[in-house]
Amino acid sequence: MSARFEEIDWRPTPLGDISLRRRRDPASGEDVYEVKLGDDFLMSSLFTEGEIALTRLGLAKLPDTELDVAVGGLGLGYTARAALDDARVRSLIVVDAIGEVIDWHWRGLVPLGAGLAADPRCRLVQGDFFALAGGPLGLDPETPHRRFHAILLDVDHSPRHVLNPSHAALYLPAGLRALAQLLHPDGVFALWSNDPPDPEFGEVLAGVFAESAAHVVDFDNPLQGGTAANTVYVARRAAAAQRD
C-alpha cells in the first residue's frame, strides 16, 4: 500500500515551481495524483470528466475517417488518452510548455504515462502551444504548416483566467483566426474551461468559426459535496474555407 501522501517530483520552471503529488483518498482508498504550479492546483486525477469530455465532444462532430489530432496541454494525460481510445485517430501530437511534465510520462511517474509514451501514434512535443499556434510554421515542429482535423486545448483555467499573460491573445479574434488556419476545412477546435459558459467569448468564437457551442459538463465533487461543472467549447471551421 502506498504512503498516505508523497511528493513525487518538484521542479522550478519558467512558469513557476511545478510539483507532482500523490495522496490516498480516504473515501475510496485509491491513489489520487495532483499537479500544482506555484500555489495553483492545475489538475487532479480525482476530476477527469472535463478532460475526457473535451476529446469526446471535440471528435464527435468529425467523420468516420482517419484523423490527425493535436492537443495543447499534456497534464496527467486524460485528454490525450481519450483521443487514442478513438479508433479513428491515426496520429496525435501533444504540445506542452513544461518539459518536466513530459518527463513524468516518459518515466512512468503518472498512471497513463507509459501507455501514452509507448503508443506509436502519439508524439509528446515540448513547446509553447500559444506561440506555435500564432507563429508562421504551426504546431508540429517536424512538419511545418501541418493541418489537423481537431485541435483540443486544455491549458488555461478559462479564456478570462490564463496561466500566463501571453496566452490571452489566442482567445481574441485574430488569435482564433490564426488557429483556425491550422485546421482542415470542417475541422474542429475544442476548448476546456473551468468557468461557466462565457457569452462574450461565445460571440468571439461565432465570429471566427462556422459553428460553435458551449457544453456544460457536470460531475460529482466528493470534496465539496454535490456536483461541479466545467465548460467545453466546440467550434467547427467552415467547409468552404480555403483548401490546401
Side-chain angles (χ1 to χ4, degrees), residues 143-162:
T143 309
H145 313 294
R146 183 182 180 189
R147 289 186 178 180
F148 299 89
H149 299 95
I151 297 174
L152 314 174
L153 179 57
D154 177 8
V155 173
D156 294 312
H157 296 306
S158 75
R160 291 183 182 269
H161 300 97
V162 296

Side-chain angles (χ1 to χ4, degrees), residues 16-162:
D17 296 339
I18 194 165
S19 61
L20 172 65
R21 316 183 323 168
R22 179 176 59 208
R23 64 175 178 83
R24 194 181 313 144
D25 179 34
S28 66
E30 298 181 354
D31 285 340
V32 175
Y33 290 78
E34 299 170 331
V35 178
K36 289 187 69 177
L37 183 63
D39 293 328
D40 288 337
F41 276 95
L42 291 188
M43 61 208 67
S44 168
S45 63
L46 193 62
F47 306 111
T48 62
E49 290 86 348
E51 288 89 336
I52 295 170
L54 171 64
T55 296
R56 291 179 177 171
L57 290 167
L59 301 188
K61 285 186 170 291
L62 294 172
D64 190 18
T65 58
E66 292 186 326
L67 302 176
D68 300 315
V69 178
V71 170
L74 174 57
L76 293 173
Y78 287 91
T79 297
R81 181 69 265 165
L84 292 172
D85 287 342
D86 189 315
R88 296 172 296 168
V89 174
R90 68 180 172 189
S91 73
L92 174 72
I93 68 165
V94 187
V95 181
D96 199 288
I98 303 176
E100 289 79 2
V101 173
I102 294 175
D103 186 53
W104 294 342
H105 287 262
W106 280 110
R107 294 165 61 193
L109 298 182
V110 292
L112 301 181
L116 293 181
D119 194 309
R121 296 172 295 161
C122 180
R123 182 155 48 92
L124 307 180
V125 176
Q126 182 180 359
D128 184 336
F129 175 93
F130 299 86
L132 292 171
L137 301 181
L139 293 174
D140 188 349
E142 294 186 4
T143 309
H145 313 294
R146 183 182 180 189
R147 289 186 178 180
F148 299 89
H149 299 95
I151 297 174
L152 314 174
L153 179 57
D154 177 8
V155 173
D156 294 312
H157 296 306
S158 75
R160 291 183 182 269
H161 300 97
V162 296

Side-chain angles (χ1 to χ4, degrees), residues 150-204:
I151 297 174
L152 314 174
L153 179 57
D154 177 8
V155 173
D156 294 312
H157 296 306
S158 75
R160 291 183 182 269
H161 300 97
V162 296
L163 294 180
N164 188 290
S166 65
H167 299 178
L170 179 78
Y171 305 111
L172 300 176
L176 290 172
R177 282 194 292 269
L179 184 142
Q181 293 301 311
L182 303 178
L183 291 168
H184 290 294
D186 271 333
V188 169
F189 168 56
L191 170 70
W192 177 91
S193 171
N194 196 43
D195 287 350
D198 183 334
E200 291 185 16
F201 179 67
E203 291 180 5
V204 176

